[in-house]
Amino acid sequence: MDLRDAAQELYAVLPRDFTARRSELVREAKDAGDKELAKDIGKLGKPAAGAWAINALAVHKPEVIDGVVRFGASLRAAQEDGDADAFRQLGLQRQGELTGAVHDAKDLAAELGFPLSAAAAADVERTFRAAMADAGVAAAVATGRLVRGLSGSGFEEVDLDGAVAGGEFEPEPTSPPKSQSKPKPQSQPESQSKPGAQREPKTKEKKPGEEATSLAERRAAKKKAALEEAQAEFDAAESEAKEADEAAAQAWNAVKEIERRRKAVQADIEEYKKRLASLEAELIGITRDAEAAESDKKRAVRAATQQRRAADQARRRVERLG
């Protein structure tokens, strides 16, 4: 086991298991008698959540990483070749590719038991966007040993220092621009150096003015491609903004409908409260009447009892006299 192997394994484990697994790898290196390796493993830092999700894709779903890398290579090739149509079409497809890759990262993270936060998912998208624009970032993403998220527009070199764990990271050199990839003019054939030999015109050499014009054309093509890309992004953003506006309007209408229903229910409650208060007052009156009637009943019963006793006494007196 070397440092790269250790990092390859370590940066694929769940973030919550990172520290424990790192300690185990340090102990394994010490047991193997490699104190220097143990020291280097102990220095490996915990990856950011977004970087971990990309590493997990590299291990469990490498086809997702490969798709991002290949799409970015096609996008850069179209830009370098000055193929405005291809670059525009790829630019329109880019957001869909990014969205799909981010969804794959989120789904895999959830399956592994470590769901991504919104900030981590945004970090994944920024890193994939940079990978599509920069070959060095694409190589870093494919290692599976990413420590932090990356960002870049493709116009400036992305700082990869410390972005990949497991020793020094040397990305593959990017393809040279089309103007530099053409074969250089070969040296003059021996037959042309002889006296009387027929010389072919030197068509590959350019005067300084012509080179400046070619450079200006390349810059103009690159600027045009960038403008078309920006326009495509604007159109996509405008479409998404309109959809968001429609969703917001629907949500607003839903809120207003719920508010109307709430007020109606509240009005019913107030009405029922008033009715309840009236009924409670009526109940109090009835209770008082019932208490008065109960008192009258008791008095009537007592009077009836007394009258019944008087009648019984009169009856017994009559019986005695008779």
Side-chain angles (χ1 to χ4, degrees), residues 204-244:
K204 295 184 180 180
E205 294 183 357
K206 294 184 179 180
K207 296 180 180 179
E210 293 176 346
E211 291 180 354
T213 301
S214 177
L215 178 60
E217 289 175 350
R218 290 198 302 272
R219 287 178 175 174
K222 187 173 183 179
K223 183 177 180 181
K224 181 181 178 182
L227 178 61
E228 291 176 347
E229 178 188 7
Q231 182 64 44
E233 291 181 354
F234 168 76
D235 293 340
E238 182 69 14
S239 177
E240 292 178 358
K242 288 181 179 179
E243 293 179 359

Side-chain angles (χ1 to χ4, degrees), residues 162-313:
V164 178
E168 295 184 1
F169 170 65
E170 293 291 342
E172 294 293 331
T174 59
S175 300
K178 188 176 180 180
S179 60
Q180 297 179 6
S181 61
K182 294 179 180 179
K184 294 182 179 180
Q186 297 180 353
S187 57
Q188 187 178 22
E190 184 179 355
S191 60
Q192 293 182 3
S193 63
K194 295 180 180 180
Q198 184 179 1
R199 296 178 179 270
E200 296 180 357
K202 298 180 180 180
T203 59
K204 295 184 180 180
E205 294 183 357
K206 294 184 179 180
K207 296 180 180 179
E210 293 176 346
E211 291 180 354
T213 301
S214 177
L215 178 60
E217 289 175 350
R218 290 198 302 272
R219 287 178 175 174
K222 187 173 183 179
K223 183 177 180 181
K224 181 181 178 182
L227 178 61
E228 291 176 347
E229 178 188 7
Q231 182 64 44
E233 291 181 354
F234 168 76
D235 293 340
E238 182 69 14
S239 177
E240 292 178 358
K242 288 181 179 179
E243 293 179 359
D245 288 341
E246 293 177 359
Q250 293 177 359
W252 180 249
N253 290 334
V255 169
K256 289 195 295 184
E257 174 62 19
I258 292 172
E259 179 64 16
R260 183 194 65 77
R261 291 167 52 195
R262 185 187 68 80
K263 289 181 178 180
V265 171
Q266 189 173 16
D268 290 342
I269 290 173
E270 293 298 327
E271 181 65 26
Y272 291 142
K273 283 182 178 180
K274 292 178 182 179
R275 177 61 178 160
L276 178 61
S278 176
L279 293 173
E280 287 177 343
E282 184 177 352
L283 178 61
I284 291 172
I286 293 172
T287 301
R288 289 175 180 173
D289 292 343
E291 291 174 352
E294 182 67 23
S295 298
D296 291 343
K297 182 198 73 171
K298 290 179 179 179
R299 285 195 296 269
V301 169
R302 284 196 299 269
T305 302
Q306 292 174 357
Q307 292 297 328
R308 174 55 55 189
R309 287 176 182 173
D312 288 344
Q313 290 175 359

Side-chain angles (χ1 to χ4, degrees), residues 25-102:
L25 291 172
V26 168
R27 186 164 54 254
E28 290 175 12
K30 288 181 179 179
D31 292 343
D34 196 337
K35 295 182 179 179
E36 191 65 27
L37 176 60
K39 183 179 178 181
D40 290 339
I41 293 174
K43 293 179 181 179
L44 293 175
K46 186 177 181 178
W52 167 81
I54 293 173
N55 295 336
L57 282 176
V59 173
H60 299 284
K61 293 185 176 181
E63 68 276 6
V64 176
I65 300 296
D66 185 61
V68 171
V69 171
R70 287 179 179 274
F71 185 85
S74 299
L75 191 66
R76 294 191 301 275
Q79 185 177 23
E80 291 173 359
D81 293 342
D83 190 341
D85 290 338
F87 187 77
R88 181 173 59 254
Q89 291 298 324
L90 291 170
L92 292 173
Q93 298 172 19
R94 180 170 60 176
Q95 188 57 47
E97 295 288 334
L98 285 170
T99 300
V102 172

